[in-house]
Amino acid sequence: MHVLAQITFNYSTGVDKLGLDECNIAQAANGSLILIARNCDLSNLGQCGMMKHKQSLRNSRRGNSASVGSKMFAMSVSTDGGEHWGPITHQPQLLTPVCQGSMISYQGPTDTSPALYFSGPHSTVTRRNGTILASNDNGITFARSLNIFPYNKGAYGYCSLACGMKAEKDCGVLF
């Protein structure tokens, strides 16, 4: 008989912002939690299904230099297990045409410690150019990249990364 460990969840605040949705959380090698979120801009709220929130979003952005509204994933870091979240920033290497992305922590065969692996359409205009990026510095930079689905091959939208399924070094991406 396999017994699962008891897990408890608490509600945390700080990243529940209008315009951010389709979040993904991964644990970095330093123990912090990295949250990425699809980043809906005022110009593409229809694409995000948020037209009824347009005025609220416009009002929430006044005087906020770290607002959503760029073609990059929004990102926040928690150093206390998700109880509290740091400011919402933009990771300049995680481009998005406003689409969900995936991030996991995984120690690949050539990694000296768990790295953060990200998958998404690496473009600001179209859901194409499927790319996997890797960070060895807890999400500060993503220095390694692998283009797995070039522009001319069709759509690369919603995706999910998984590693260690059949063998420790096996990884896959579903899109």
Side-chain angles (χ1 to χ4, degrees):
M1 177 182 196
H2 182 73
V3 178
L4 296 175
Q6 183 176 348
I7 299 173
T8 59
F9 295 91
N10 294 321
Y11 181 80
S12 62
T13 61
V15 289
D16 183 18
K17 303 288 185 207
L18 191 59
L20 301 181
D21 60 11
E22 298 180 354
C23 300
N24 192 208
I25 300 173
Q27 186 171 22
N30 67 2
S32 63
L33 297 178
I34 311 294
L35 177 140
I36 59 168
R38 182 175 79 152
N39 193 354
C40 293
D41 178 281
L42 282 171
S43 66
N44 57 24
L45 290 177
Q47 183 178 342
C48 296
M50 298 182 70
M51 288 304 291
K52 64 183 178 181
H53 299 296
K54 189 171 187 172
Q55 189 59 46
S56 296
L57 188 56
R58 187 176 285 127
N59 290 339
S60 73
R61 297 223 178 123
R62 290 193 178 126
N64 182 1
S65 62
S67 67
V68 294
S70 70
K71 295 293 186 161
M72 295 171 262
F73 276 87
M75 181 182 233
S76 185
V77 178
S78 173
T79 58
D80 62 5
E83 291 288 326
H84 304 92
W85 291 91
I88 296 169
T89 61
H90 297 106
Q91 187 0 294
Q93 293 170 296
L94 302 184
L95 303 178
T96 181
V98 184
C99 186
Q100 175 265 358
S102 177
M103 187 163 32
I104 63 170
S105 176
Y106 174 68
Q107 186 167 347
T110 61
D111 295 325
T112 57
S113 63
L116 290 173
Y117 285 87
F118 167 85
S119 176
H122 198 67
S123 169
T124 59
V125 294
T126 183
R127 290 181 178 187
R128 297 183 187 271
N129 198 30
T131 302
I132 296 175
L133 302 172
S135 173
N136 292 89
D137 59 8
N138 305 304
I140 296 169
T141 62
F142 286 79
R144 296 182 286 151
S145 69
L146 174 65
N147 184 278
I148 59 171
F149 204 74
Y151 274 101
N152 60 352
K153 296 289 185 182
Y156 187 93
Y158 295 81
C159 60
S160 184
L161 286 167
C163 293
M165 299 162 295
K166 287 188 174 184
E168 209 170 288
K169 62 182 180 177
D170 284 350
C171 289
V173 62
L174 173 69
F175 64 94

Coordinates of all heavy atoms in Angstrom, one line a residue, residues 72-146:
M72 N 5.9 39.9 -22.1 CA 6.7 39.0 -21.3 C 5.9 38.4 -20.2 O 4.9 39.0 -19.8 CB 7.9 39.7 -20.7 CG 8.9 40.3 -21.6 SD 10.1 41.3 -20.8 CE 9.4 43.0 -21.1
F73 N 6.2 37.2 -19.8 CA 5.5 36.6 -18.7 C 5.7 37.4 -17.4 O 6.8 37.9 -17.2 CB 6.0 35.2 -18.4 CG 5.3 34.1 -19.3 CD1 5.9 33.9 -20.5 CD2 4.2 33.5 -18.9 CE1 5.2 32.9 -21.4 CE2 3.6 32.6 -19.7 CZ 4.1 32.3 -20.9
A74 N 4.7 37.5 -16.6 CA 4.8 38.2 -15.3 C 5.5 37.1 -14.4 O 5.3 35.9 -14.6 CB 3.5 38.6 -14.8
M75 N 6.2 37.6 -13.4 CA 6.9 36.7 -12.6 C 7.0 37.2 -11.1 O 7.0 38.4 -10.9 CB 8.4 36.5 -13.1 CG 9.3 35.6 -12.3 SD 10.9 35.7 -13.0 CE 11.2 33.9 -13.3
S76 N 6.8 36.3 -10.2 CA 6.9 36.7 -8.8 C 7.7 35.6 -8.0 O 7.6 34.4 -8.4 CB 5.6 37.0 -8.2 OG 5.7 37.4 -6.8
V77 N 8.4 36.0 -6.9 CA 9.2 35.0 -6.2 C 8.7 35.0 -4.7 O 8.4 36.0 -4.1 CB 10.7 35.4 -6.2 CG1 11.5 34.4 -5.4 CG2 11.1 35.4 -7.7
S78 N 8.6 33.8 -4.2 CA 8.3 33.6 -2.7 C 9.5 32.9 -2.1 O 9.9 31.9 -2.6 CB 7.0 32.8 -2.5 OG 6.9 32.5 -1.2
T79 N 10.0 33.4 -1.0 CA 11.1 32.8 -0.3 C 10.6 32.1 1.0 O 11.4 31.6 1.8 CB 12.2 33.8 0.1 OG1 11.6 34.9 0.9 CG2 12.8 34.4 -1.2
D80 N 9.2 32.1 1.2 CA 8.7 31.5 2.4 C 7.6 30.4 2.1 O 6.7 30.3 2.8 CB 8.2 32.5 3.4 CG 7.0 33.3 2.8 OD1 6.5 33.0 1.7 OD2 6.6 34.3 3.5
G81 N 7.9 29.7 1.0 CA 6.9 28.6 0.7 C 5.6 29.0 0.1 O 4.6 28.3 0.2
G82 N 5.5 30.2 -0.3 CA 4.3 30.7 -0.9 C 3.3 31.5 0.0 O 2.3 31.9 -0.4
E83 N 3.8 31.7 1.3 CA 3.0 32.5 2.2 C 2.9 33.9 1.7 O 1.8 34.6 1.8 CB 3.6 32.4 3.6 CG 3.5 31.1 4.3 CD 2.0 30.7 4.7 OE1 1.3 31.6 5.1 OE2 1.7 29.5 4.6
H84 N 4.0 34.5 1.2 CA 4.1 35.8 0.7 C 4.8 35.8 -0.6 O 5.7 35.0 -0.8 CB 4.8 36.8 1.7 CG 4.2 36.7 3.1 ND1 4.6 35.9 4.1 CD2 3.2 37.5 3.6 CE1 3.9 36.1 5.2 NE2 3.0 37.0 4.9
W85 N 4.4 36.8 -1.5 CA 5.1 36.9 -2.8 C 5.7 38.2 -3.0 O 5.2 39.2 -2.5 CB 4.0 36.6 -3.9 CG 3.6 35.2 -3.9 CD1 2.5 34.7 -3.2 CD2 4.2 34.1 -4.5 NE1 2.4 33.3 -3.4 CE2 3.5 32.9 -4.2 CE3 5.3 34.0 -5.4 CZ2 3.8 31.7 -4.7 CZ3 5.6 32.7 -5.9 CH2 4.9 31.6 -5.5
G86 N 6.8 38.3 -3.6 CA 7.5 39.5 -3.9 C 6.8 40.3 -5.0 O 5.7 39.9 -5.5
P87 N 7.4 41.4 -5.4 CA 6.7 42.2 -6.5 C 6.6 41.5 -7.8 O 7.4 40.6 -8.1 CB 7.7 43.4 -6.6 CG 8.9 43.1 -5.9 CD 8.6 42.0 -4.9
I88 N 5.6 41.8 -8.5 CA 5.4 41.3 -9.9 C 6.4 42.0 -10.8 O 6.4 43.2 -10.9 CB 4.0 41.4 -10.3 CG1 3.1 40.6 -9.4 CG2 3.8 40.9 -11.8 CD1 1.6 40.8 -9.6
T89 N 7.2 41.2 -11.5 CA 8.2 41.8 -12.4 C 8.0 41.1 -13.8 O 7.1 40.3 -13.9 CB 9.6 41.5 -11.9 OG1 9.8 40.1 -11.8 CG2 9.9 42.2 -10.6
H90 N 8.8 41.4 -14.7 CA 8.8 40.8 -16.0 C 10.1 40.1 -16.3 O 11.1 40.7 -16.0 CB 8.5 41.8 -17.1 CG 7.1 42.4 -17.0 ND1 7.0 43.7 -16.6 CD2 5.9 41.9 -17.2 CE1 5.7 44.0 -16.6 NE2 5.0 42.9 -16.9
Q91 N 10.1 38.9 -16.7 CA 11.3 38.2 -17.0 C 11.6 38.4 -18.5 O 10.8 37.9 -19.4 CB 11.2 36.7 -16.7 CG 12.3 35.7 -16.8 CD 13.7 36.2 -17.3 OE1 13.9 36.6 -18.4 NE2 14.6 36.1 -16.4
P92 N 12.6 39.3 -18.9 CA 12.7 39.7 -20.3 C 13.0 38.6 -21.3 O 12.8 38.7 -22.5 CB 13.9 40.7 -20.3 CG 14.6 40.4 -19.0 CD 13.6 39.8 -18.0
Q93 N 13.4 37.4 -20.8 CA 13.7 36.3 -21.7 C 12.5 35.4 -22.0 O 12.5 34.6 -22.9 CB 14.9 35.5 -21.2 CG 16.2 36.3 -21.3 CD 17.3 35.6 -20.6 OE1 17.2 35.4 -19.4 NE2 18.3 35.2 -21.3
L94 N 11.5 35.6 -21.1 CA 10.2 34.8 -21.3 C 9.2 35.5 -22.0 O 8.3 36.1 -21.5 CB 9.7 34.3 -19.9 CG 10.7 33.6 -19.0 CD1 10.0 33.1 -17.7 CD2 11.3 32.4 -19.7
L95 N 9.4 35.5 -23.4 CA 8.5 36.3 -24.3 C 7.2 35.5 -24.4 O 7.1 34.3 -24.2 CB 9.1 36.4 -25.7 CG 10.5 37.0 -25.7 CD1 11.0 37.0 -27.1 CD2 10.4 38.4 -25.2
T96 N 6.1 36.3 -24.7 CA 4.8 35.6 -24.9 C 4.0 36.4 -25.9 O 4.0 37.7 -25.8 CB 4.1 35.4 -23.6 OG1 2.8 34.8 -23.8 CG2 3.8 36.7 -22.9
P97 N 3.2 35.7 -26.7 CA 2.2 36.4 -27.5 C 0.9 36.5 -26.8 O -0.2 36.6 -27.4 CB 2.1 35.6 -28.8 CG 2.4 34.2 -28.2 CD 3.4 34.4 -27.1
V98 N 0.9 36.3 -25.4 CA -0.2 36.2 -24.5 C -0.7 34.7 -24.6 O -1.7 34.4 -25.3 CB -1.4 37.2 -24.8 CG1 -2.4 37.0 -23.7 CG2 -0.9 38.6 -24.8
C99 N 0.0 33.9 -24.0 CA -0.3 32.5 -24.0 C 0.2 31.8 -22.7 O 1.2 32.4 -22.1 CB 0.4 31.8 -25.2 SG 0.0 30.1 -25.5
Q100 N -0.3 30.7 -22.3 CA 0.1 30.0 -21.1 C 1.5 29.4 -21.4 O 1.8 29.0 -22.6 CB -0.9 28.9 -20.8 CG -0.5 28.0 -19.7 CD 0.1 26.7 -20.2 OE1 0.2 26.4 -21.3 NE2 0.5 25.9 -19.2
G101 N 2.3 29.3 -20.4 CA 3.6 28.6 -20.5 C 3.8 27.6 -19.4 O 2.9 27.6 -18.5
S102 N 4.8 26.9 -19.4 CA 5.0 25.9 -18.4 C 6.4 26.0 -17.8 O 7.4 26.3 -18.6 CB 4.9 24.5 -19.1 OG 5.1 23.4 -18.1
M103 N 6.6 25.8 -16.5 CA 7.9 25.8 -15.9 C 8.0 24.7 -14.9 O 7.0 24.5 -14.1 CB 8.2 27.2 -15.2 CG 9.6 27.3 -14.7 SD 10.3 28.9 -14.4 CE 8.9 29.8 -13.8
I104 N 9.1 24.0 -14.9 CA 9.3 23.0 -13.9 C 10.8 23.1 -13.3 O 11.6 23.7 -14.0 CB 9.1 21.5 -14.5 CG1 10.1 21.2 -15.6 CG2 7.7 21.3 -14.9 CD1 10.1 19.8 -16.0
S105 N 11.0 22.4 -12.2 CA 12.3 22.3 -11.7 C 12.8 20.9 -12.0 O 12.0 19.9 -11.7 CB 12.3 22.5 -10.2 OG 13.6 22.3 -9.6
Y106 N 14.0 20.7 -12.5 CA 14.4 19.4 -12.9 C 16.0 19.4 -13.0 O 16.6 20.4 -13.5 CB 13.9 19.0 -14.3 CG 14.4 17.7 -14.8 CD1 14.1 16.5 -14.2 CD2 15.2 17.7 -16.0 CE1 14.6 15.3 -14.7 CE2 15.7 16.5 -16.5 CZ 15.4 15.3 -15.9 OH 15.9 14.2 -16.4
Q107 N 16.6 18.4 -12.5 CA 18.0 18.2 -12.6 C 18.3 17.3 -13.7 O 18.2 16.0 -13.6 CB 18.6 17.7 -11.3 CG 20.2 17.8 -11.3 CD 20.8 17.6 -10.0 OE1 20.1 17.7 -8.9 NE2 22.1 17.4 -10.0
G108 N 18.6 17.8 -14.9 CA 18.9 17.0 -16.0 C 20.3 16.4 -15.9 O 21.1 16.7 -15.0
P109 N 20.7 15.5 -16.9 CA 21.9 14.8 -16.8 C 23.2 15.7 -16.8 O 24.2 15.3 -16.2 CB 21.9 13.9 -18.1 CG 20.5 13.9 -18.6 CD 19.8 15.1 -18.0
T110 N 23.1 16.9 -17.3 CA 24.2 17.8 -17.3 C 24.1 18.9 -16.3 O 25.0 19.7 -16.2 CB 24.5 18.4 -18.7 OG1 23.3 19.1 -19.1 CG2 24.7 17.3 -19.8
D111 N 23.1 18.9 -15.5 CA 22.9 20.0 -14.5 C 23.6 19.6 -13.2 O 23.5 18.4 -12.8 CB 21.4 20.2 -14.2 CG 20.6 20.7 -15.4 OD1 21.2 21.5 -16.2 OD2 19.4 20.3 -15.6
T112 N 24.3 20.5 -12.6 CA 24.9 20.3 -11.3 C 23.9 20.4 -10.1 O 24.2 19.9 -9.1 CB 26.1 21.2 -11.1 OG1 25.6 22.6 -11.2 CG2 27.2 21.0 -12.2
S113 N 22.8 21.1 -10.4 CA 21.8 21.2 -9.4 C 20.5 21.4 -10.2 O 20.5 21.6 -11.4 CB 22.0 22.4 -8.4 OG 22.0 23.6 -9.1
P114 N 19.3 21.3 -9.5 CA 18.1 21.5 -10.3 C 18.0 22.8 -11.0 O 18.4 23.8 -10.4 CB 17.0 21.4 -9.2 CG 17.6 20.6 -8.1 CD 19.0 20.9 -8.1
A115 N 17.6 22.8 -12.2 CA 17.5 24.0 -13.0 C 16.0 24.2 -13.2 O 15.2 23.4 -13.1 CB 18.2 23.8 -14.4
L116 N 15.7 25.5 -13.6 CA 14.3 25.8 -14.0 C 14.2 25.7 -15.5 O 15.0 26.2 -16.2 CB 13.9 27.2 -13.6 CG 13.8 27.5 -12.1 CD1 13.6 28.9 -11.8 CD2 12.6 26.7 -11.5
Y117 N 13.2 24.9 -16.0 CA 13.0 24.7 -17.4 C 11.7 25.3 -17.7 O 10.7 25.1 -17.1 CB 13.0 23.2 -17.8 CG 14.4 22.6 -17.8 CD1 15.0 22.1 -16.6 CD2 15.1 22.6 -18.9 CE1 16.2 21.6 -16.6 CE2 16.4 22.1 -19.0 CZ 17.0 21.5 -17.8 OH 18.2 21.0 -17.8
F118 N 11.6 26.1 -18.8 CA 10.4 26.8 -19.2 C 10.1 26.4 -20.7 O 11.0 26.3 -21.5 CB 10.7 28.3 -19.2 CG 9.6 29.1 -19.9 CD1 8.4 29.5 -19.3 CD2 9.8 29.5 -21.2 CE1 7.5 30.2 -20.0 CE2 8.8 30.2 -21.9 CZ 7.6 30.5 -21.3
S119 N 8.9 26.2 -21.0 CA 8.4 26.0 -22.3 C 7.3 26.9 -22.7 O 6.4 27.1 -21.9 CB 8.0 24.5 -22.5 OG 7.5 24.3 -23.8
G120 N 7.4 27.5 -23.9 CA 6.3 28.3 -24.4 C 6.6 28.8 -25.8 O 7.7 28.5 -26.3
P121 N 5.7 29.5 -26.4 CA 6.0 30.1 -27.8 C 6.9 31.3 -27.6 O 6.6 32.3 -26.9 CB 4.6 30.5 -28.3 CG 3.8 30.6 -27.1 CD 4.3 29.7 -26.0
H122 N 8.1 31.2 -28.1 CA 9.1 32.3 -27.9 C 8.9 33.3 -29.0 O 9.6 33.4 -30.0 CB 10.5 31.7 -27.9 CG 11.5 32.6 -27.3 ND1 11.6 32.9 -26.0 CD2 12.6 33.3 -27.9 CE1 12.6 33.7 -25.8 NE2 13.2 34.0 -26.9
S123 N 7.9 34.1 -28.8 CA 7.5 35.2 -29.8 C 6.6 36.2 -29.1 O 6.0 35.8 -28.1 CB 6.7 34.5 -30.9 OG 6.2 35.5 -31.8
T124 N 6.6 37.4 -29.6 CA 5.7 38.4 -29.0 C 4.4 38.6 -29.8 O 3.5 39.3 -29.5 CB 6.4 39.7 -28.8 OG1 6.8 40.2 -30.1 CG2 7.5 39.7 -27.8
V125 N 4.4 37.9 -31.0 CA 3.3 38.1 -31.9 C 2.5 36.9 -32.3 O 1.3 37.0 -32.7 CB 3.8 38.8 -33.2 CG1 4.3 40.2 -32.9 CG2 4.8 38.0 -33.9
T126 N 3.0 35.7 -32.2 CA 2.3 34.5 -32.6 C 2.6 33.3 -31.8 O 3.7 33.2 -31.2 CB 2.7 34.2 -34.1 OG1 1.9 33.1 -34.6 CG2 4.1 34.0 -34.3
R127 N 1.7 32.4 -31.7 CA 1.9 31.2 -30.9 C 2.6 30.2 -31.7 O 2.1 29.1 -32.1 CB 0.5 30.7 -30.4 CG -0.1 31.6 -29.4 CD -1.4 31.0 -28.9 NE -1.9 31.9 -27.8 CZ -3.0 31.6 -27.1 NH1 -3.7 30.5 -27.3 NH2 -3.4 32.5 -26.2
R128 N 3.8 30.5 -32.0 CA 4.7 29.6 -32.8 C 6.1 29.7 -32.2 O 6.3 30.4 -31.2 CB 4.8 30.1 -34.3 CG 3.4 30.0 -35.0 CD 3.6 30.4 -36.4 NE 2.3 30.5 -37.1 CZ 1.7 29.4 -37.7 NH1 2.3 28.3 -37.7 NH2 0.5 29.6 -38.3
N129 N 7.1 29.0 -32.8 CA 8.4 29.0 -32.3 C 8.5 28.4 -30.9 O 9.1 29.0 -30.0 CB 9.0 30.5 -32.3 CG 10.5 30.5 -32.3 OD1 11.2 29.5 -32.7 ND2 11.1 31.5 -31.7
G130 N 8.0 27.2 -30.7 CA 8.1 26.5 -29.4 C 9.5 26.3 -29.0 O 10.3 25.8 -29.7
T131 N 9.8 26.8 -27.8 CA 11.2 26.8 -27.3 C 11.2 26.4 -25.8 O 10.3 26.7 -25.0 CB 11.8 28.2 -27.4 OG1 11.7 28.6 -28.8 CG2 13.2 28.3 -26.9
I132 N 12.2 25.7 -25.4 CA 12.5 25.4 -24.0 C 13.7 26.2 -23.6 O 14.7 26.2 -24.3 CB 12.7 23.8 -23.8 CG1 11.5 23.1 -24.2 CG2 13.2 23.6 -22.4 CD1 11.7 21.6 -24.1
L133 N 13.6 26.9 -22.5 CA 14.7 27.7 -21.9 C 15.0 27.1 -20.6 O 14.2 26.5 -19.9 CB 14.2 29.1 -21.8 CG 13.8 29.9 -23.0 CD1 13.2 31.2 -22.6 CD2 14.9 30.0 -24.0
A134 N 16.3 27.2 -20.2 CA 16.7 26.7 -18.9 C 17.5 27.8 -18.1 O 18.3 28.5 -18.7 CB 17.6 25.5 -19.1
S135 N 17.2 27.8 -16.8 CA 17.9 28.7 -15.9 C 18.7 28.0 -14.8 O 18.1 27.1 -14.2 CB 16.9 29.7 -15.2 OG 17.5 30.5 -14.3
N136 N 20.0 28.3 -14.7 CA 20.8 27.7 -13.6 C 21.0 28.7 -12.5 O 21.7 28.4 -11.6 CB 22.1 27.3 -14.2 CG 22.0 26.1 -15.2 OD1 21.8 26.3 -16.3 ND2 22.0 24.9 -14.6
D137 N 20.3 29.9 -12.5 CA 20.5 30.9 -11.5 C 19.1 31.3 -10.9 O 18.9 32.4 -10.6 CB 21.3 32.1 -12.0 CG 20.6 32.7 -13.2 OD1 19.4 32.4 -13.5 OD2 21.2 33.6 -13.8
N138 N 18.3 30.3 -10.7 CA 17.0 30.5 -10.0 C 16.1 31.5 -10.7 O 15.3 32.2 -10.1 CB 17.2 30.9 -8.5 CG 18.1 29.9 -7.8 OD1 17.8 28.8 -7.7 ND2 19.2 30.4 -7.3
G139 N 16.1 31.5 -12.0 CA 15.2 32.3 -12.8 C 15.6 33.7 -13.1 O 14.9 34.4 -13.7
I140 N 16.8 34.1 -12.7 CA 17.3 35.4 -13.0 C 17.6 35.5 -14.5 O 17.2 36.5 -15.1 CB 18.6 35.7 -12.2 CG1 18.2 35.7 -10.7 CG2 19.2 37.1 -12.6 CD1 19.4 35.8 -9.8
T141 N 18.2 34.6 -15.1 CA 18.4 34.5 -16.5 C 18.1 33.1 -17.0 O 18.1 32.1 -16.2 CB 19.9 34.9 -16.9 OG1 20.8 33.9 -16.3 CG2 20.3 36.3 -16.5
F142 N 17.8 33.0 -18.3 CA 17.6 31.7 -18.9 C 18.7 31.6 -20.0 O 18.4 32.1 -21.2 CB 16.2 31.6 -19.5 CG 15.2 31.4 -18.4 CD1 14.7 32.5 -17.6 CD2 14.7 30.1 -18.1 CE1 13.8 32.3 -16.6 CE2 13.8 29.9 -17.1 CZ 13.4 31.0 -16.3
A143 N 19.8 31.1 -19.7 CA 21.0 31.1 -20.6 C 21.0 30.0 -21.6 O 21.7 30.1 -22.6 CB 22.3 31.0 -19.8
R144 N 20.2 28.9 -21.4 CA 20.2 27.8 -22.4 C 18.9 27.8 -23.1 O 17.8 28.0 -22.5 CB 20.5 26.5 -21.7 CG 21.9 26.4 -21.1 CD 22.1 25.1 -20.5 NE 21.4 25.0 -19.2 CZ 20.9 23.8 -18.7 NH1 21.1 22.7 -19.3 NH2 20.3 23.8 -17.6
S145 N 18.9 27.5 -24.4 CA 17.6 27.4 -25.1 C 17.7 26.3 -26.2 O 18.7 25.9 -26.7 CB 17.3 28.7 -25.8 OG 18.1 29.0 -26.9
L146 N 16.5 25.7 -26.4 CA 16.4 24.7 -27.4 C 15.1 24.9 -28.2 O 14.0 24.9 -27.6 CB 16.3 23.3 -26.8 CG 16.0 22.1 -27.7 CD1 17.1 21.9 -28.7 CD2 15.8 20.8 -26.9

